[in-house]
Amino acid sequence: MCCKDALSPFQPVSDIILSKTERSFSTSSARRLKASWFELYPWLHLCTTNYKAYCFICMQAAHHHASSKADQAFISIGFNNWKKAIEKFNCHQMSSAHRAVVGNKMARESGISVYGQISTQYESQQKQNLASFMNELKSLVFLLRQALPIRGHDDDEGNLHQCLKICFSEHKWTEDGRYLSPEIVNELIQIMAHSILRSVLADIRQANWFAILADETRDISNREQLVICIRWVTEQYEVVEEPVGLLQLDNSSAVTIFSALKDCLIRLNLPVEKCRGQAYDGASTFQGHISGGCKAIQR
């Protein structure tokens, strides 16, 4: 191996030297090593004995420790099939043997092990992912606060995707899309809702006494919906009303409404005994003096 003692790869730009690598592939065309390839492949080395190309890094590594997995065309034989040069250069550069040699060389020069480099890269990627995820949460908070739709007919054109791209330049995060699926976005919204609800309930329990407000209506799909709100007074004597439940009803009977109200209070850990007021509409299922929801709670 004539180049084993070289300290750096030989990468000439002179046409006089490069012309010596010329090979004819047909009667009408000839190809040779190009100087521009040295910029694309820094490991490329030209041997001035046979005017063939080698991988300088793999060649030096093979001199100290031979590898059966390495491409011998770039180590001992030499490469001069210029017609397929780019294809073969890329193939060698992406090979596991070449990447392992490059990794070991970088580790020796930096004093950091390959494992340490992988850990550092992984930690950096984790920080970047966390920052992107926090931007997604900020976008969700804004859209939910303004009662704007999250998705559109096309997810990529929805408000969430566009907010991430325009406001935070998170193009790669939206292309990846692992945390932007409808299931995960809905779960994030539910977590936010539960966090807000816990904060509201803490204020209600601190006030000790509360009143129930409820009303029933039909949504656009003609299904019965019961909205439940809690009214209380703070220590500063401020009256506060907050919604704590939106329940779908099978029917609008007094028994169903009472069951829904009772179930909601139990799940929220709000004792009925501390209820000091009720406010409903004038429907008999709510206000009926015999079997209305109001009368059932008073019992």
Side-chain angles (χ1 to χ4, degrees):
M1 191 179 297
C2 61
C3 303
K4 65 181 180 180
D5 297 325
L7 299 178
S8 61
F10 180 59
Q11 300 177 339
V13 295
S14 171
D15 285 337
I16 298 175
I17 298 176
L18 294 176
S19 63
K20 295 181 180 181
T21 65
E22 188 172 294
R23 284 190 61 199
S24 297
F25 288 87
S26 66
T27 56
S28 60
S29 65
R31 298 175 186 267
R32 67 178 187 177
L33 179 64
K34 296 180 180 179
S36 60
W37 290 345
F38 293 127
E39 296 180 5
L40 297 174
Y41 308 99
W43 47 265
L44 204 58
H45 166 77
L46 176 64
C47 177
T48 54
T49 301
N50 56 16
Y51 290 97
K52 292 184 178 181
Y54 295 84
C55 175
F56 184 79
I57 300 175
C58 292
M59 185 175 62
Q60 293 293 316
H63 175 63
H64 300 285
H65 179 70
S67 174
S68 59
K69 295 182 179 180
D71 188 350
Q72 296 302 316
F74 290 94
I75 296 177
S76 58
I77 302 173
F79 179 86
N80 64 349
N81 187 5
W82 313 126
K83 188 175 182 180
K84 297 184 177 180
I86 298 297
E87 176 187 347
K88 296 298 182 181
F89 291 165
N90 289 334
C91 183
H92 175 75
Q93 186 168 258
M94 296 303 296
S95 66
S96 58
H98 175 82
R99 287 187 294 175
V101 172
V102 171
N104 291 334
K105 181 175 180 296
M106 292 176 61
R108 289 195 303 271
E109 293 176 351
S110 64
I112 304 175
S113 65
V114 176
Y115 177 78
Q117 293 179 23
I118 295 174
S119 298
T120 302
Q121 183 178 2
Y122 179 77
E123 183 179 354
S124 175
Q125 185 64 44
Q126 288 292 90
K127 290 182 179 179
Q128 183 178 349
N129 289 342
L130 178 60
S132 298
F133 183 67
M134 293 305 296
N135 288 336
E136 179 180 345
L137 292 179
K138 292 176 183 178
S139 300
L140 272 176
V141 169
F142 169 75
L143 295 173
L144 294 171
R145 177 63 181 81
Q146 299 303 114
L148 296 173
I150 305 299
R151 294 180 290 272
H153 296 293
D154 182 1
D155 281 346
D156 188 56
E157 296 299 325
N159 287 333
L160 179 57
H161 278 246
Q162 292 302 311
C163 190
L164 286 169
K165 289 180 179 179
I166 296 174
C167 299
F168 299 103
S169 299
E170 292 288 358
H171 296 276
K172 186 177 179 181
W173 184 257
T174 55
E175 290 173 2
D176 187 11
R178 284 182 296 177
Y179 291 91
L180 290 169
S181 66
E183 293 79 10
I184 292 181
V185 170
N186 289 342
E187 184 177 351
L188 292 175
I189 294 174
Q190 188 179 46
I191 291 172
M192 293 179 187
H194 288 168
S195 177
I196 295 173
L197 183 59
R198 283 193 292 268
S199 177
V200 170
L201 291 174
D203 293 340
I204 296 173
R205 296 189 186 100
Q206 186 175 2
N208 201 25
W209 315 109
F210 62 88
I212 301 173
L213 292 81
D215 195 6
E216 176 270 333
T217 186
R218 292 179 181 269
D219 61 14
I220 193 171
S221 60
N222 203 33
R223 291 178 296 185
E224 298 287 343
Q225 301 283 348
L226 179 66
V227 180
I228 302 175
C229 299
I230 300 295
R231 179 186 177 110
W232 74 97
V233 179
T234 66
E235 293 180 351
Q236 289 74 34
Y237 301 102
E238 297 176 352
V239 179
V240 184
E241 293 180 3
E242 291 288 353
V244 295
L246 178 62
L247 309 175
Q248 181 177 334
L249 302 177
D250 296 329
N251 55 69
S252 57
S253 66
V255 175
T256 303
I257 292 174
F258 168 71
S259 299
L261 287 170
K262 182 179 178 181
D263 178 68
C264 181
L265 293 175
I266 291 174
R267 285 188 293 106
L268 299 179
N269 194 24
L270 295 176
V272 180
E273 296 79 14
K274 294 190 177 182
C275 176
R276 289 297 181 269
Q278 301 181 63
Y280 312 108
D281 63 11
S284 60
T285 52
F286 280 107
Q287 300 282 30
H289 67 284
I290 298 177
S291 59
C294 177
K295 193 68 175 180
I297 290 179
Q298 289 176 352
R299 294 173 184 172

